[in-house]
Each structure stands twice: as C-alpha cells, then as structure tokens.
Amino acid sequence: MSIDWKAAAQKHQAAYVDDLTKLIAIKSVRDDAKKTADAPLGPGPAEALQAFLKMAERDGFKTTNLDNLAGYVEYGEGDETIAILAHVDVMPAGEGWSTEPFTLTEKDGNLYGRGTSDDKGPALACYYGLKILKEQGIKLNKKVRFILGTDEESGWTGMKHYFKTQPEPTMGFSPDAEFPLINGEKGNATFTLTTQGSNGGQYKLNHFSAGLRENMVPRDAHAVVETDDNEKLVSDFTAFLDEAPVTGDVHIDSDGVHFHVIGKAAHGMEPKNGINAGTYLASFLKTLDFGGDARSFVELVGGDLHDDSRVNKLGLAFTDKIMGDLTMNIGVMDFDAGKTGKIVLNFRYPKGMTAEDIQNKLAQVADQNHFELNKGREMVPHYVDPKDPIVTTLMGAYREMTGNQAAKPEVVGGGTYGRLMKRGVAFGALFMDHTPDTMHQVDEFQPLSDLMMAMAIYGRSIEALANELPN
C-alpha cells in the first residue's frame, strides 16, 4: 500500500494545528526554582511531556513516562529500533515579541509562538507522520521509539535519564534542526568567568545584566552607573546609539544613570545572526573611568569579547575544512557591585580543536583579569559518514518528497539529540532555502506549509527507515 504523503498531511492539518496550539500554550521553560518531586525540572517541562504523551494515548499508541524527565511513544515490531529524539522544552521568551509568545498565532500563513520552530512544531509534525502510518495500517518491520526530552535547551537531564534507564539506541534522527540533513555537529563547551564585583575610579558600576541562556545571543542589556555628571553621560550614550547598530534608551534615577540596549537575539550556534546587546553596551561603558573588577568586566566584555564570534582577538581562531569555524557566543553577563558576577561563554568547535585548548587560553584571560574560570558541560564533535545508510535513506525520502535532487547533507554548529547516537543525525524541520531561522529569537515562527511538508517527509522517512533501510 502506497501513501500519498502530501495529501495525508493536508488532511491532518487542522488536527495538527489544534494539538500544536495546546503545546505552545504550555510555558515549558526549565525552572529549577520551582522543581518538585513530580516536576524535577519545574512544572512547565513536565506538563508539556504529559500533554504530548496524552495525545499519543488518545491516538492509540503505547506510551511510557520516565519520572516526568523523559518519555516515549512506541510503534512497530522487530529486533531493531529506530529512535526519533525530540524535545518539549523551550527557551525563555525574552522581551520584544509582537505576538503573545505562548499563544499560537497565525499570520499570513505563518505560525508564531515559542516552540513553533524549536522544537514543538517539528516534533509534532514528526509524530503526525508516525500517526499516519498507524492509521493507514502500515506494518513496520523495525520498532520505532519516539523519545521526548524535557531540557534540551539546558542540561539534557531528561534525555540522559532515558539513556541511563533504557536500552541505548544506536541509530535514528532528531527533528530539531534543518533540512536536508545534518550529519555532523561541532563540539560544544561552556565556560564561566566569575568576578567579585569590586569598583573604583570616577564611575561606579552598580549593575550590568544581559542574556538569558548560554546558547542565546542576548537581545537586551541593562546597566546602572553612578557618576557626578549624569547629563554628560546621557549625552555620550545618545551619541553612541547614533553610531552603533543597536537601539536603546537611558534615564536618570536616584541610584544612577540607567541604560538599556536592544540588539537582536539569535541561536548561539551562529552569533553572527544576532547583535549582542551586552557586548555593545559594555563597549560604550569601557570608555568610562571604572576601577577594580568593574573595569576588568567592561573591558573584557566590551573589548576582546565584543563583535568577535571567531575569537581572533583571543588567538583561538580555528577552521576545519569539513566542520568550519570555531565560534564563541557571550550568552550571559551579570555584574552587581559587591556581589559575585559572571560572564558565560559558549563555544562551538570543530574537530582538530579541543575544549582543553579553549580552556587553556581562557585560563590566561581569567588570570589577567583576576577572574575565576569554571568549565561547564562539554560535548565533543559528532560526525556520521554521508554514505551511512541512515543518511542515504533519509536523504532519499527528502528528495522524493521535495524533488530537490541536488540536496546534500551538511555540518553545523548546533547541538541536537542526534549526537547521542553513534549513527544519529539531525533532520529538519527548517527549510533554510526560503524560511529564516528564528530559533531562540523573538517572534519565532514556522510557515504552516513548511510544517505540512515536514510531516510528509517525516512520515515517508519513518516508513523507509523501518521497512527499507539496508542492514
């Protein structure tokens, strides 16, 4: 029996939008401050996981919830398992949306809301592909496990829990990136520079804050500065805004001059796609006479780290022929007078470079500025041979559905669950040839027509992997 996948997707469009509306409405941002025994990552991720599994149960699937940290939907039979790894958590919304971020809004054929592109929209489209197979009574010769994580945007606690408690899948894909297919992902390492918040000089830095997560280019930055000449500082900042590629505002209050800079948020895997409000604000502040840790903070953030995603100023620039450039995102910047502050740096590095290389250079920077350096999580580079049947089978399904015979797999800086499997890749759902990447940005969206095409591609791909994949 042959399925007309595009027609099947269109038939399910209304039901898909209804289900996605329910998922987008759940503010599934990890919040450790609100965690409980029943919601170990906060209430949002647990609620979203339960909602997704409930939809699958409604459709007659077998589901399993693993302690509200991860869960899976299962279909098909056989000794081999095809794994599909998706996530139900989302990034914080941030400021500046033109729509309500947790209300699915359709405008001009586009679906807006936090998670429409990363990853609720693609995950649900992929699930619907599996649902169509079940409805059509297509027998699968391999078992399919559709696995859901709850904190892909932070520590991967949920998926790590799955891998600790369940048989480890060796092959599959993650619907959490872009088409046609990603067969390589750069290494990913995070480092934190910590400062004690001392001041000195003619100006006092009372406060500085920018960024929500390490893997997000900060859109907004705020600072409060004390000075004897407020009016001149306001005038100088206004002149700065006239020349810089950012907007903002400034006002005087009882505790000093308050600055606000607005840049452009973007996914931290490619900082060039955004404008870092934090480093631009610091580039202005470093012209002032600060002292102590405040001076080191603004000089580093606004100097050697500013507008240098390829890390040339620190001498870490590196490029691999296949995987491309090493990149750096300055994701979080915090400073409060007399308190511990931090600068959080996220690096995406290709093979040929190691996290130890990066750490050694940052140790020198920390020493020069009297900061403390701590290394966070790390993931080494991941690569699957383009000739592997998992790649060729998925590419075949993509070409069949789109007619794009010239499409080729690629390597990116993003980190997906695909890298958790030896033969794991990332597969859609963003069509980069005609849709901008709005993951981790305000006004995140996906065209509904793209998501319907993704549903068709995913359904055909699952069918091909389960019944046609060479051994």
Side-chain angles (χ1 to χ4, degrees):
M1 177 182 176
S2 177
I3 297 176
D4 183 338
W5 280 105
K6 294 178 184 177
Q10 288 301 317
K11 180 181 177 181
H12 287 78
Q13 177 175 299
Y16 169 85
V17 172
D18 184 58
D19 282 344
L20 185 59
T21 298
K22 296 170 185 174
L23 290 176
I24 297 297
I26 301 171
K27 189 177 180 180
S28 52
V29 179
R30 177 172 177 168
D31 188 351
D32 290 342
K34 296 180 180 179
K35 67 181 180 181
T36 65
D38 292 331
L41 301 174
E47 183 183 351
L49 175 63
Q50 292 165 6
F52 205 118
L53 295 178
K54 187 175 180 179
M55 291 174 186
E57 290 167 3
R58 171 202 66 195
D59 297 331
F61 285 102
K62 173 187 175 182
T63 69
T64 300
N65 185 330
L66 301 170
D67 306 311
N68 279 333
L69 284 169
Y72 62 88
V73 179
E74 193 167 87
Y75 184 64
E77 299 176 356
D79 297 331
E80 294 183 84
T81 298
I82 301 295
I84 301 168
L85 278 60
H87 66 92
V88 295
D89 61 302
V90 295
M91 295 292 284
E95 304 176 59
W97 284 69
S98 63
T99 66
E100 167 54 47
F102 296 103
T103 299
L104 188 70
T105 304
E106 183 172 357
K107 295 194 302 181
D108 301 321
N110 296 323
L111 299 182
Y112 289 81
R114 182 56 97 210
T116 52
S117 185
D118 183 20
D119 181 39
K120 292 177 179 177
L124 191 65
C126 190
Y127 164 75
Y128 261 75
L130 184 64
K131 175 181 176 179
I132 292 169
L133 282 166
K134 180 177 179 297
E135 290 176 348
Q136 294 290 326
I138 302 297
K139 180 181 178 182
L140 302 184
N141 297 323
K142 296 182 180 67
K143 188 180 296 181
V144 175
R145 272 202 177 182
F146 192 102
I147 307 165
L148 298 161
T150 50
D151 68 331
E152 192 273 346
E153 302 294 5
S154 50
W156 292 23
T157 307
M159 200 56 73
K160 290 176 183 176
H161 183 64
Y162 176 90
F163 274 70
K164 286 180 181 177
T165 60
Q166 301 296 311
E168 180 176 339
T170 59
M171 175 174 57
F173 68 88
S174 177
D176 185 25
E178 62 196 56
F179 287 123
L181 182 143
I182 292 167
N183 67 309
E185 299 180 6
K186 295 178 185 177
N188 188 329
T190 297
F191 298 89
T192 300
L193 294 162
T194 304
T195 173
Q196 297 307 309
S198 67
N199 261 283
Q202 295 181 348
Y203 295 80
K204 181 182 179 182
L205 184 61
N206 281 332
H207 172 77
F208 187 107
S209 62
L212 299 170
R213 292 282 178 84
E214 65 196 51
N215 54 350
M216 227 177 147
V217 176
R219 174 188 180 270
D220 295 271
H222 301 267
V224 181
V225 176
E226 281 190 52
T227 175
D228 293 333
D229 194 344
N230 289 340
E231 298 299 333
K232 183 178 186 307
L233 190 52
V234 169
S235 176
D236 289 346
F237 181 69
T238 302
F240 165 77
L241 289 179
D242 289 339
E243 299 295 327
V246 293
T247 58
D249 55 79
V250 58
H251 69 272
I252 301 170
D253 211 331
S254 59
D255 59 344
V257 181
H258 287 241
F259 303 95
H260 177 208
V261 167
I262 303 171
K264 179 185 177 184
H267 196 300
M269 71 176 177
E270 182 43 275
K272 282 185 177 181
N273 291 337
I275 300 174
N276 195 315
T279 69
Y280 269 96
L281 178 53
S283 73
F284 167 74
L285 295 178
K286 80 182 185 68
T287 64
L288 308 179
D289 181 22
F290 290 108
D293 294 327
R295 165 136 298 280
S296 297
F297 182 89
V298 297
E299 284 194 343
L300 180 59
V301 173
D304 283 348
L305 300 181
H306 172 57
D307 197 24
D308 187 24
S309 65
R310 269 51 185 176
V311 212
N312 289 284
K313 297 175 191 175
L314 295 183
L316 279 169
F318 183 82
T319 301
D320 174 74
K321 184 172 64 174
I322 295 177
M323 288 194 152
D325 296 340
L326 175 146
T327 64
M328 172 186 67
N329 181 52
I330 306 95
V332 179
M333 293 147 273
D334 286 319
F335 185 100
D336 284 290
K339 299 181 180 179
T340 300
K342 63 185 177 183
I343 304 167
V344 183
L345 308 175
N346 180 241
F347 292 83
R348 311 296 173 103
Y349 62 93
K351 59 185 178 67
M353 169 69 72
T354 68
E356 185 178 3
D357 295 330
I358 300 169
Q359 185 169 1
N360 290 339
K361 175 58 70 173
L362 293 180
Q364 297 175 22
V365 174
D367 185 61
Q368 292 166 3
N369 292 280
H370 306 291
F371 291 165
E372 180 181 332
L373 175 67
N374 290 288
K375 179 184 174 186
R377 65 171 180 155
E378 177 197 356
M379 295 180 285
V380 299
H382 173 72
Y383 188 73
V384 178
D385 192 316
K387 297 179 182 179
D388 189 298
I390 185 74
V391 176
T392 58
T393 301
L394 291 174
M395 286 299 302
Y398 173 82
R399 290 169 180 146
E400 177 185 341
M401 289 294 104
T402 65
N404 182 1
Q405 300 302 316
K408 295 181 179 179
E410 58 188 29
V411 175
V412 300
T416 74
Y417 286 151
R419 71 193 306 148
L420 291 171
M421 298 173 285
K422 186 178 296 185
R423 298 172 65 196
V425 299
F427 189 50
L430 185 65
F431 291 90
M432 292 288 287
D433 58 341
H434 62 264
T435 299
D437 181 359
T438 55
M439 298 181 192
H440 298 195
Q441 300 181 35
V442 299
D443 290 342
E444 178 184 345
F445 79 93
Q446 275 272 45
L448 180 55
S449 58
D450 282 7
L451 290 164
M452 291 302 98
M453 175 59 83
M455 188 188 299
I457 293 170
Y458 286 136
R460 176 66 186 113
S461 297
I462 296 168
E463 179 184 32
L465 288 176
N467 292 345
E468 303 164 26
L469 181 71
N471 292 325

